[in-house]
Amino acid sequence: MIKQISYLAICKSMVVMLFLSVSTVFAQHNENKNNKREESVTLSYGLPFSYSLDTYTGWDIKNDAGDVLSTGSGDINEVFSKPGNYSVYIHEKHNDDSKSSCDHDQYPSKVTIKVSPLKMVFDFSSIQFSKKIKEGQSTKGITVTVNAVYSSYENRPADYHHGFTTAGVGTSLSGRLNEDKVLLKNGINKLEFSLEGFTTKGNNIMIEFKDINDQVQPYTLIEKN
């Protein structure tokens, strides 16, 4: 009787251990799946998309319908001529026998790409300041003009309302459109901003303009003494 009870206890213990073991493996699988990195980017139609990968890493690009549009290995260099949503799936090779903690994903498993039907490129060769920015002095009254080349896949105008911010040591500069919004038309559009704030030191200021898709296009202003 004692032996029978001991046997039943051992069986119950093994069942509990097996259940816990399966639960642990299932939890680890879900954790690994959830830990897969994903990235997302926005770009305009007709502009190149580049992503650096090692030679042996494979990838494929699919549209919203799941159709494979392109496949390959190594660096990705693609141009999306049509607006829409696309997905890049990256397939890394791992050594299944490796027990090293270093053998993990270097790249995201998926990159979601939103291709906008609107395109706007600042022509920084046309940028002009009405006055020179001086250290420690207010920039009130200084205007910045720059041309922006705009195009639409469907040949439609669009409202633009972004200002700009700056980055640099000792600078608190920002810019706002002189108009609340500007109606962009296909071709060259001249934009005018009013500066606000001041800079205390340094002559290297990065101006971060935002395009119609809310993406930053930086311009570095280097004032010569």
Side-chain angles (χ1 to χ4, degrees):
M1 183 68 178
I2 294 175
K3 288 183 178 180
Q4 186 176 2
I5 292 174
S6 298
Y7 177 75
L8 289 173
I10 292 172
C11 288
K12 288 181 179 179
S13 176
M14 289 178 65
V15 170
V16 171
M17 289 177 65
L18 180 62
F19 175 76
L20 290 174
S21 177
V22 171
S23 299
T24 302
V25 171
F26 182 73
Q28 287 177 344
H29 175 74
N30 280 347
E31 181 180 354
N32 290 337
K33 183 177 180 180
N34 292 335
N35 281 340
K36 290 287 187 181
R37 289 191 298 116
E38 294 188 6
E39 294 180 2
S40 60
V41 296
T42 299
L43 69 155
S44 299
Y45 75 96
L47 292 182
F49 170 77
S50 299
Y51 205 98
S52 296
L53 300 172
D54 64 57
T55 307
Y56 303 103
T57 297
W59 52 266
D60 52 65
I61 299 175
K62 297 181 180 181
N63 59 16
D64 254 356
D67 302 320
V68 177
L69 305 179
S70 184
T71 185
S73 60
D75 293 346
I76 304 173
N77 294 289
E78 294 286 325
V79 174
F80 296 91
S81 57
K82 186 177 180 180
N85 296 316
Y86 301 85
S87 297
V88 179
Y89 295 92
I90 298 174
H91 315 292
E92 291 192 58
K93 291 184 178 180
H94 294 284
N95 184 359
D96 294 333
D97 297 328
S98 174
K99 296 181 180 179
S100 171
S101 60
C102 295
D103 190 27
H104 54 73
D105 289 344
Q106 299 181 55
Y107 311 108
S109 59
K110 179 182 178 182
V111 180
T112 301
I113 302 174
K114 178 183 178 181
V115 179
S116 169
L118 308 178
K119 185 192 302 182
M120 180 181 184
V121 179
F122 288 95
D123 176 13
F124 292 129
S125 67
S126 69
I127 196 167
Q128 291 184 339
F129 293 78
S130 61
K131 293 180 183 178
K132 183 177 180 179
I133 298 173
K134 296 183 179 180
E135 294 180 11
Q137 294 185 16
S138 172
T139 57
K140 184 177 181 180
I142 299 179
T143 58
V144 182
T145 57
V146 63
N147 290 337
V149 181
Y150 168 80
S151 63
S152 164
Y153 186 80
E154 298 175 338
N155 199 29
R156 294 180 179 178
D159 287 334
Y160 178 78
H161 55 82
H162 294 296
F164 62 74
T165 56
T166 61
V169 178
T171 179
S172 62
L173 295 178
S174 62
R176 59 176 176 79
L177 276 174
N178 283 355
E179 302 177 36
D180 290 336
K181 62 182 179 181
V182 175
L183 184 66
L184 298 177
K185 298 180 180 180
N186 280 357
I188 298 174
N189 296 262
K190 187 174 183 178
L191 303 176
E192 187 172 288
F193 302 85
S194 292
L195 277 180
E196 298 175 343
F198 61 93
T199 178
T200 58
K201 59 181 179 179
N203 57 0
N204 194 325
I205 302 170
M206 179 176 287
I207 301 177
E208 297 178 336
F209 290 90
K210 283 191 175 182
D211 67 14
I212 193 68
N213 297 309
D214 204 27
Q215 302 300 299
V216 171
Q217 295 183 29
Y219 170 78
T220 301
L221 172 66
I222 300 177
E223 288 285 351
K224 296 181 180 179
N225 296 325

